Amino acid sequence: MIKIKDKLFHLHNNNISYYIYCNSHGHLETIYFGEYLEDIGNIDAIRKADIDNDTTQYFDFSKNKEFTYPDHYRYSIESVEISTHGLRDKRGAPIILKKEDGTNVTDFRFVSYEILESLPTYEELPYARKNSSPCQTLRILLKDYLSDIYVYENISIFEDKDIIIKNFEIVNKGNIIVPILRANSMQLDLKDNQYKLHHFAGKWASERFEVVTDIKDGIQEVSSNTGRSSHEENPFVFLTKKDTSYDKGEVIGFNLIYSGNFSFRTFNNSFCNTHITYGINDEDFNWMLKPNEVFVTPQAVISYSQDGIDGMSINMHKFVKENIVNPLLDQKEKPILFNSWEGCYFDFTTESIISYIDDSLKIGSELFVLDDGWFGKRDNDESGLGDWFVNENKINLKKVVDHCTSKGMNFGIWFEPEMINPDSNLYREHPEYILTCKGMDQVSLYRHQLVLDFSSEEVVENIYQQMIKIIDSYDISYIKWDHNRMINEHFSFHHNKENQGEIYHRVILGYYTLIKKLTQRYPDILFEGCASGGGRFDLGTLFYYPQIWASDDTDPIQRMYIQYNTSLGYPLSTIGSHASANPITSYKTKALLALFGTYGYEMNPNKLNEKEISELSEVASIYKKYHHEVIANGTLYHLSSPQDSNAMSMCSVSKDKSKALVIYMNLLKEYKKTRFLKLRGLEKNKKYRNSFDNNIFTGDYYEKVGINLSRQYLPEFECQLFILEEVE
Ligand code: DGJ
């Protein structure tokens, strides 16, 4: 997978090639990244192909004369792995340091390399896990020309998936503290500037709307500065070419194994290259790197495909399932979940919850989750966060859990560990536990809550102790972990003034410390991430939890966009989705949509009528029969995007290609009467019966002709499910 010849590194598998050359200057040039290329030939043909043919000229003080490097290195034009800063390269460096003399010159040059038969792992950060499939890592050591700061660049490649992982580790081998002003995870210089950038913008309850723009000259950025990966933008983005479609053409997907502020930046200039840097957002970032310490940047993930958007997406899904999510949790068949939130919000008693449990059984529920409102003084969102003890006046939790288990159901509970209400015992005892800065006469509230200072070990430990007391006292098999506000005051009483530029990142490290301790102590508990819906849908969180609540919007029309778009970068098994009481559409439609996610319910089950119970039970039995094999572990194809057509459709095919589930929803009725739904991913020569018209066709036919939807009346905004099964 990694070959080396004459300072030319070739990372490759059967489909992709990545050539890196260490030039005479000691800089790492990115010679080629793309489709597999066996023989790169004479690399000077590529290196000299740029518009400007001049080599960079230097003036050597010691010899008092001009010179150029023998291999014609052009400092500001060449594609490189790490641009310099404060020198001639103006494209944007991934790493910027502040030197003892006050200057910011950073210039990393080659020292040595090694090849690892594994992936790097980290104590403090989530990382790509190694599984049984072969992978290798090229680990190159570079040194800053003017200081004792070293950088390891790690680039990993897999044999069985077209994924590259990149990150930097910055090491201080000097004897003074060095401020790091920017610590991105990667740079990638592509030798083309005709790309479109797809990113996923949104807000609370309408997360991940796909926005497509041409990559223009100058800088473009997709980022979050809200202290979490955010509703506003998601760290998953991808590039396409003009003629790329879902099944054809070049696509390069990116993601970051991180849950905090990020910045994905592109820069185009007249040399027709696309310069990409990606990593932690440098806004207010200032990390004081002490002697002998290492700053590890989160790993960036690149998914490459020539098989269109789905090629990239399938790659990403495979990677997330095999190398991000804990495999033991990923492979466990998930119970049908019933969540109390939308049914009763804060308004419940022991008896009402017991009646919910009983009625939720009628629709096949297997795991009952008591959401917000069971702890401290919590009858609304104005108080209680931070006080993780049962509100005995409101609920007899033991009775509820015992009732649940006596009915053969599992029990789950909600926490919001990183937050605190001013009206709480914890705040009254420890006002210094919140994020803010000295001298402020006010601090911003969202939903009446403040953010706990997770950059402090003491604060994290306090919450940990409170949580384990609850978890150890009750039979809990699921935890929903919420996070309902962004960070505004990113400053801490627990750190010196020099370290205030570290707080955004330290808070995320505190989040990882707590979930790591909890998931290690309770390996069998199913954790689900959540942040006011889908405000922290990222690979950092998925490293610890196998699923994340996708959005607080359970209106199926809005949600169809959210789930479809989320599934471009994340597998369906990770997308938390429930059928709710939202009045738009039938329960059947809502449940079918939820089926293309984790599947569960969230309504007042006492109010369900016979028809609704039967619609939901029908989908519950489809869930039990097919979900684990065909949806949670199948291969997903996007057949029709609701954003650029008047129907939404996806098809998930089981690994052995014997079954497929297809979801289809008409938005506006077609005025043109003929419509064939072409499927993808089936075995060409196998024959399948489809549940729509009961016909039997070959996989080839379904791909080339499709299911004929023309003659049927397909109502608007009603989900249809077509089940395809192989026949002899
Ligand atoms: C926001 C979450 O997204 C909801 O599902 C629910 O858990 C509420 N918080 C509870 O406060």
Side-chain angles (χ1 to χ4, degrees):
M1 279 176 284
I2 303 180
K3 288 187 202 138
I4 303 138
K5 196 179 162 209
D6 301 334
K7 294 184 5 200
L8 183 68
F9 301 91
H10 181 198
L11 295 90
H12 68 92
N13 62 21
N14 288 338
N15 301 319
I16 55 177
S17 277
Y18 190 173
Y19 282 95
I20 297 168
Y21 170 62
C22 176
N23 67 26
S24 56
H25 199 288
H27 286 169
L28 298 175
E29 293 185 31
T30 314
I31 300 295
Y32 173 88
F33 173 74
E35 204 176 354
Y36 179 68
L37 177 62
E38 168 105 35
D39 184 3
I40 192 90
N42 174 3
I43 57 166
D44 278 346
I46 294 180
R47 298 177 67 240
K48 283 184 183 158
D50 283 312
I51 296 160
D52 178 3
N53 238 351
D54 292 340
T55 53
T56 308
Q57 299 162 2
Y58 299 88
F59 181 74
D60 188 330
F61 292 126
S62 61
K63 297 191 181 117
N64 200 27
K65 68 172 191 191
E66 289 188 14
F67 79 101
T68 57
Y69 278 90
D71 54 358
H72 308 290
Y73 175 44
R74 284 142 307 161
Y75 212 121
S76 52
I77 303 166
E78 223 72 73
S79 303
V80 287
E81 288 294 298
I82 314 183
S83 282
T84 56
H85 182 77
L87 297 168
R88 194 168 151 172
D89 189 343
K90 299 291 183 190
R91 294 169 293 185
I95 299 169
I96 303 178
L97 311 169
K98 187 105 189 150
K99 301 295 178 49
E100 202 180 2
D101 63 1
T103 64
N104 305 95
V105 175
T106 35
D107 182 355
F108 291 103
R109 299 184 190 176
F110 181 85
V111 176
S112 62
Y113 76 89
E114 60 186 315
I115 291 173
L116 314 175
E117 301 297 320
S118 62
L119 299 168
T121 58
Y122 300 107
E123 275 302 310
E124 289 192 319
L125 281 174
Y127 53 84
R129 299 171 201 268
K130 166 121 181 60
N131 68 351
S132 54
S133 67
C135 60
Q136 283 188 328
T137 299
L138 173 62
R139 185 166 162 83
I140 303 178
L141 179 63
L142 302 114
K143 180 184 178 302
D144 178 44
Y145 168 57
L146 289 171
S147 72
D148 289 318
I149 299 294
Y150 287 70
V151 161
Y152 285 100
E153 176 173 17
N154 299 308
I155 312 172
S156 307
I157 184 157
F158 295 87
E159 192 175 275
D160 70 338
K161 52 182 96 73
D162 301 334
I163 294 277
I164 298 281
I165 314 282
K166 292 183 81 170
N167 80 330
F168 297 119
E169 296 165 27
I170 307 170
V171 190
N172 186 352
K173 293 195 181 173
N175 47 23
I176 54 159
I177 295 175
V178 175
I180 307 174
L181 307 182
R182 181 184 295 161
N184 281 170
S185 302
M186 58 150 262
Q187 171 171 331
L188 185 66
D189 288 351
L190 301 166
K191 293 187 191 306
D192 195 340
N193 64 353
Q194 299 298 304
Y195 287 104
K196 288 180 186 299
L197 169 64
H198 299 239
H199 59 107
F200 297 89
K203 58 180 184 177
W204 174 74
S206 34
E207 294 89 342
R208 292 176 287 288
F209 193 82
E210 187 181 7
V211 181
V212 187
T213 57
D214 286 335
I215 294 195
K216 303 190 193 83
D217 281 1
I219 292 174
Q220 257 165 282
E221 188 180 31
V222 177
S223 65
S224 160
N225 63 357
T226 63
R228 56 185 179 184
S229 45
S230 93
H231 295 87
E232 289 73 17
E233 289 288 357
N234 192 272
F236 166 62
V237 298
F238 62 94
L239 308 184
T240 55
K241 289 284 185 57
K242 207 164 95 206
D243 51 359
T244 297
S245 61
Y246 271 97
D247 58 348
K248 286 187 194 70
E250 185 179 38
V251 187
I252 313 176
F254 298 85
N255 210 330
L256 196 65
I257 309 179
Y258 191 57
S259 309
N261 292 347
F262 69 89
S263 150
F264 177 89
R265 227 175 259 159
T266 60
F267 176 75
N268 274 1
N269 64 12
S270 54
F271 296 107
C272 304
N273 291 335
T274 302
H275 169 84
I276 295 166
T277 49
Y278 193 18
I280 294 178
N281 193 334
D282 58 2
E283 183 180 308
D284 287 0
F285 180 86
N286 187 359
W287 191 272
M288 305 298 278
L289 191 66
K290 296 196 190 107
N292 299 316
E293 281 190 355
V294 183
F295 184 85
V296 178
T297 65
Q299 291 174 326
V301 182
I302 305 172
S303 169
Y304 185 85
S305 181
Q306 282 287 343
D307 297 329
I309 295 170
D310 272 341
M312 178 280 301
S313 165
I314 289 166
N315 240 331
M316 221 30 137
H317 289 187
K318 188 169 158 60
F319 169 73
V320 174
K321 284 180 75 67
E322 293 179 0
N323 305 92
I324 292 291
V325 177
N326 176 341
L328 298 175
L329 299 173
D330 180 62
Q331 280 315 308
K332 246 189 198 166
E333 222 170 303
K334 309 286 181 317
I336 297 181
L337 186 158
F338 187 98
N339 181 295
S340 66
W341 179 244
E342 288 197 17
C344 57
Y345 299 105
F346 296 104
D347 188 14
F348 55 80
T349 60
T350 305
E351 285 63 43
S352 71
I353 289 298
I354 284 177
S355 81
Y356 266 43
I357 291 170
D358 291 344
D359 284 346
S360 74
L361 282 165
K362 296 182 189 158
I363 47 176
S365 308
E366 299 164 308
L367 162 66
F368 186 87
V369 178
L370 182 57
D371 207 281
D372 198 351
W374 57 269
F375 54 90
K377 188 182 117 197
R378 187 79 171 167
D379 288 324
N380 52 45
D381 58 17
E382 291 174 20
S383 57
L385 290 176
D387 296 342
W388 299 107
F389 51 84
V390 179
N391 181 348
E392 309 277 359
N393 296 327
K394 186 169 178 181
I395 189 136
N396 181 338
L397 196 57
K398 183 160 183 341
K399 192 168 170 190
V400 166
V401 180
D402 286 351
H403 185 78
C404 205
T405 45
S406 75
K407 296 283 175 179
M409 280 179 106
N410 290 329
F411 181 78
I413 204 156
W414 179 96
F415 284 97
E416 191 173 1
E418 295 146 278
M419 300 291 163
I420 183 167
N421 286 116
D423 186 0
S424 65
N425 295 346
L426 187 65
Y427 183 77
R428 282 182 282 275
E429 279 162 31
H430 291 289
E432 79 285 5
Y433 272 16
I434 64 158
L435 286 178
T436 183
C437 59
K438 287 180 190 136
M440 285 187 58
D441 61 352
Q442 56 189 29
V443 58
S444 63
L445 284 175
Y446 273 83
R447 214 189 183 215
H448 312 281
Q449 66 196 54
L450 300 163
V451 187
L452 279 171
D453 182 358
F454 264 40
S455 73
S456 151
E457 279 174 27
E458 179 188 326
V459 177
V460 172
E461 187 59 24
N462 180 305
I463 299 299
Y464 174 70
Q465 290 301 335
Q466 290 198 56
M467 287 179 79
I468 61 173
K469 221 170 177 178
I470 294 287
I471 305 168
D472 288 346
S473 311
Y474 300 91
D475 190 356
I476 288 173
S477 60
Y478 163 101
I479 287 175
K480 178 173 169 187
W481 183 303
D482 212 340
H483 180 282
N484 280 298
R485 67 160 285 181
M486 60 171 74
I487 296 176
N488 293 350
E489 293 81 9
H490 49 282
F491 308 107
S492 161
F493 290 130
H494 296 91
H495 295 274
N496 296 333
K497 63 177 188 207
E498 301 78 31
N499 303 97
Q500 296 299 320
E502 300 175 2
I503 304 308
Y504 269 137
H505 183 57
R506 285 199 182 277
V507 166
I508 295 296
L509 296 181
Y511 163 53
Y512 292 147
T513 303
L514 184 57
I515 44 179
K516 187 173 168 185
K517 278 174 91 164
L518 289 167
T519 48
Q520 279 177 353
R521 184 178 171 114
Y522 306 106
D524 294 328
I525 290 186
L526 170 61
F527 281 81
E528 175 155 359
C530 173
S532 314
R536 204 157 61 179
F537 209 112
D538 56 65
L539 299 184
T541 296
L542 284 174
F543 181 82
Y544 299 99
Y545 315 153
Q547 59 195 57
I548 304 174
W549 180 230
S551 175
D552 274 349
D553 200 317
T554 51
D555 141 23
I557 308 305
Q558 177 73 43
R559 218 182 158 82
M560 165 190 58
Y561 289 86
I562 296 169
Q563 288 183 207
Y564 183 95
N565 289 339
T566 305
S567 74
L568 291 170
Y570 302 90
L572 293 180
S573 56
T574 65
I575 303 176
S577 39
H578 303 161
S580 80
N582 191 297
I584 308 176
T585 83
S586 64
Y587 266 115
K588 185 169 175 208
T589 280
K590 290 181 283 203
L592 289 179
L593 208 55
L595 189 70
F596 273 69
T598 56
Y599 196 65
Y601 308 117
E602 197 156 335
M603 78 279 286
N604 181 343
N606 307 148
K607 290 194 177 156
L608 293 172
N609 61 34
E610 286 305 313
K611 178 169 172 279
E612 292 164 343
I613 290 175
S614 126
E615 282 179 2
L616 292 169
S617 307
E618 197 192 318
V619 182
S621 51
I622 295 173
Y623 174 87
K624 295 304 284 180
K625 187 163 176 200
Y626 297 104
H627 191 276
H628 188 67
E629 181 190 359
V630 187
I631 292 198
N633 288 297
T635 308
L636 185 68
Y637 297 84
H638 296 86
L639 306 180
S640 175
S641 164
Q643 275 188 230
D644 43 49
S645 71
N646 66 349
M648 183 282 292
S649 185
M650 295 184 270
C651 164
S652 195
V653 182
S654 64
K655 274 208 181 91
D656 66 359
K657 300 195 178 191
S658 66
K659 300 179 193 74
L661 294 191
V662 181
I663 190 168
Y664 177 87
M665 190 201 263
N666 247 349
L667 306 186
L668 298 174
K669 256 173 265 142
E670 292 256 278
Y671 72 93
K672 292 174 187 157
K673 295 242 172 60
T674 308
R675 178 180 274 186
F676 287 84
L677 181 67
K678 291 181 178 161
L679 310 185
R680 280 190 284 127
L682 300 170
E683 188 71 63
K684 280 192 189 325
N685 300 326
K686 279 186 176 167
K687 287 188 170 167
Y688 303 86
R689 182 189 300 282
N690 79 72
S691 66
F692 177 68
D693 56 18
N694 261 320
N695 274 324
I696 297 172
F697 301 113
T698 60
D700 203 26
Y701 175 95
Y702 284 110
E703 189 162 322
K704 291 178 179 156
V705 180
I707 302 181
N708 185 352
L709 307 178
S710 318
R711 305 265 159 73
Q712 299 276 343
Y713 172 74
L714 296 180
E716 295 160 322
F717 304 114
E718 278 286 318
C719 277
Q720 315 289 326
L721 180 76
F722 312 139
I723 301 175
L724 278 87
E725 290 194 80
E726 187 185 351
V727 290
E728 285 308 313

